[in-house]
Amino acid sequence: MEDARHRQLAVDLFNHVWTLMELPERTRKQEDELIHAAHASCHHWAQVGAPRNLARGEWQISRAYAVLGRAEPALHHARRCLEILEESGDGEDWDVPFAHEALARAFFVAGDTEAAEHHLATARELGASIADAEDREHLESELAKLAEPSQ
């Protein structure tokens, strides 16, 4: 497959995953589609993307599992996201804070409030140095949702 095709599929599948995650309710078939599409997007990024693209794919997979209440795979993929970023040094100033956001989300799903709070605090601390105000506000918005009692 050509690189351009891998890139297009990675982007299209990433966006499709967001559409599925934003549904107020999902059927069992849509839940399966959500997971498969997230993994497929990450697969295509692994073929042609930079480490940051792969890390973001892992982040999205973690988010998808967290949305579905599946702690173990959410934790696995959040850890993988952070690991890729740390090993490669590739990424923008918001990638590592969002990796900690994913870990916080996954730990909340797992019921480990102490670990979740640790990663929430780390994401906030690292996020304070995000240069772009819009990126920083996006992170803060996601972190605020995690801190709400309904999480």
Side-chain angles (χ1 to χ4, degrees):
M1 184 179 296
E2 294 178 18
D3 287 358
R5 184 72 178 133
H6 277 294
R7 274 190 189 82
Q8 190 61 56
L9 285 169
V11 169
D12 290 346
L13 287 161
F14 189 92
N15 292 335
H16 182 60
V17 168
W18 276 110
T19 300
L20 292 168
M21 281 196 292
E22 291 174 348
L23 293 174
E25 293 182 26
R26 283 172 294 282
T27 65
R28 177 86 171 209
K29 183 178 176 184
Q30 288 169 321
E31 290 177 354
D32 290 344
E33 184 180 351
L34 170 63
I35 294 302
H36 296 315
H39 280 280
S41 174
C42 192
H43 164 77
H44 288 289
W45 276 125
Q47 305 310 304
V48 295
R52 78 182 80 165
N53 301 112
L54 183 57
R56 292 170 189 165
E58 293 287 351
W59 174 88
Q60 189 182 54
I61 293 169
S62 176
R63 178 76 173 247
Y65 280 116
V67 164
L68 297 177
R70 297 183 57 195
E72 190 280 326
L75 283 166
H76 170 80
H77 292 284
R79 287 177 176 131
R80 187 69 184 119
C81 171
L82 183 59
E83 181 181 87
I84 291 166
L85 292 168
E86 290 177 341
E87 287 176 359
S88 70
D90 184 40
E92 295 185 45
D93 60 358
W94 49 266
D95 280 300
V96 172
F98 266 103
H100 285 282
E101 175 269 341
L103 282 161
R105 185 178 303 278
F107 276 117
F108 274 125
V109 171
D112 188 340
T113 305
E114 185 177 333
E117 293 291 344
H118 166 75
H119 287 285
L120 196 57
T122 302
R124 281 192 180 112
E125 180 181 327
L126 295 172
S129 64
I130 296 173
D132 183 78
E134 199 172 305
D135 291 339
R136 192 172 52 254
E137 288 169 13
H138 180 63
L139 174 68
E140 290 169 1
S141 171
E142 290 301 314
L143 297 176
K145 291 175 194 172
L146 288 178
E148 293 172 1
S150 64
Q151 176 54 37

